[in-house]
Amino acid sequence: MTKPIKVTLYRWAGAWGPFKVNIPCGECTLTKDIIKDTFENELADVKVELEVKDWLSHWWEPLAKGAWHAPILMVEGKVISQGEALNRGVLVQSIIQEWTKRDTMKGNVVYGKATCPYCVKAKKLLDEAGIPYEYHDVVKESAALYRMIPEVKAHIGLKTPVTVPQIWLNDQYVGGADNLEKWLEEQKKLSIPDNVVDMERSA
């Protein structure tokens, strides 16, 4: 079982010696609400564990990582935000980057966007071939975009621009629409036994 991604929020609260925080932090509350909503929506399929700590009672922990201004948010011990209400895009990207290290792409997956003719072509080819697949629009789903980019970069290199569609079939990276056509042709060849003669080609 894949271990959950650990997220730690240090909020402006707590006590240390004679000092005590009596005024609640509005940005800390807002950050916690953003985290909860992001977990339920963009990151619904990702295993995440949230720990909330009072900053004044644990100030030395984030300080050791260079953070001192609550709200402080850390993902797997790395500071991703401090001193202001959380940007949910930063949270999604940070968690997905960690998740891709632990969870490999499985099944048949197509990443694309509605305005891309090559994406339309790829889906049509798969539909005609009767191959079921999971489709994600990277414009509408930020988690899908952040998941796709590091997965693709691992195959094409960090400096090569990422385009759509990006396709995985049978747990293997295929690539774009042109590569899909080649892949489907290969599957057709593999499905024809060696002792069968193609009458059209032999005529």
Side-chain angles (χ1 to χ4, degrees):
M1 183 178 284
T2 309
K3 187 175 144 189
I5 305 294
K6 186 174 181 182
V7 178
T8 309
L9 170 64
Y10 292 90
R11 62 185 180 183
W12 181 241
W16 187 68
F19 304 103
K20 187 176 181 182
V21 175
N22 295 315
I23 303 169
C25 168
E27 291 197 1
C28 297
T29 303
L30 181 57
T31 293
K32 189 178 177 186
D33 291 341
I34 292 168
I35 292 168
K36 184 174 180 290
D37 190 71
T38 306
F39 285 178
E40 291 171 357
N41 292 285
E42 291 101 314
L43 299 171
D45 297 328
V46 179
K47 294 174 186 173
V48 186
E49 176 187 309
L50 175 64
E51 180 180 25
V52 180
K53 292 186 173 184
D54 294 340
W55 176 84
L56 197 53
S57 304
H58 301 272
W59 59 268
W60 58 90
E61 295 175 2
L63 191 61
K65 303 284 186 178
W68 58 88
H69 189 175
I72 299 164
L73 194 69
M74 298 169 71
V75 173
E76 288 293 324
K78 181 182 176 184
V79 178
I80 66 162
S81 176
Q82 70 165 318
E84 59 186 2
L86 176 67
N87 177 327
R88 69 193 295 149
V90 171
L91 174 63
V92 172
Q93 185 173 17
S94 300
I95 288 177
I96 294 295
Q97 281 177 346
E98 287 295 327
W99 192 243
T100 54
K101 298 173 189 175
R102 305 179 187 189
D103 185 62
T104 55
M105 197 71 72
K106 297 179 183 71
N108 302 335
V109 184
V110 177
Y111 290 100
K113 62 179 182 178
T115 57
C116 166
Y118 297 102
C119 301
V120 173
K121 177 184 176 182
K123 290 197 290 181
K124 185 180 178 186
L125 286 168
L126 289 168
D127 290 338
E128 288 174 350
I131 298 172
Y133 59 91
E134 186 179 314
Y135 177 75
H136 295 282
D137 187 316
V138 297
V139 173
K140 296 176 181 177
E141 304 171 46
S142 59
L145 175 65
Y146 294 132
R147 177 68 196 263
M148 176 190 76
I149 290 172
E151 293 280 1
V152 175
K153 292 279 189 184
H155 293 280
I156 67 174
L158 294 174
K159 294 184 178 179
T160 307
V162 177
T163 58
V164 286
Q166 293 294 337
I167 304 159
W168 277 259
L169 294 171
N170 298 335
D171 306 339
Q172 300 295 316
Y173 177 67
V174 173
D178 291 342
N179 289 346
L180 173 62
E181 279 190 293
K182 292 174 189 172
W183 186 90
L184 290 169
E185 281 298 319
E186 284 300 313
Q187 298 308 303
K188 280 182 188 175
K189 288 176 187 174
L190 290 172
S191 65
I192 299 172
D194 292 340
N195 60 349
V196 174
V197 177
D198 188 335
M199 296 306 288
E200 287 183 12
R201 290 186 182 180
S202 60

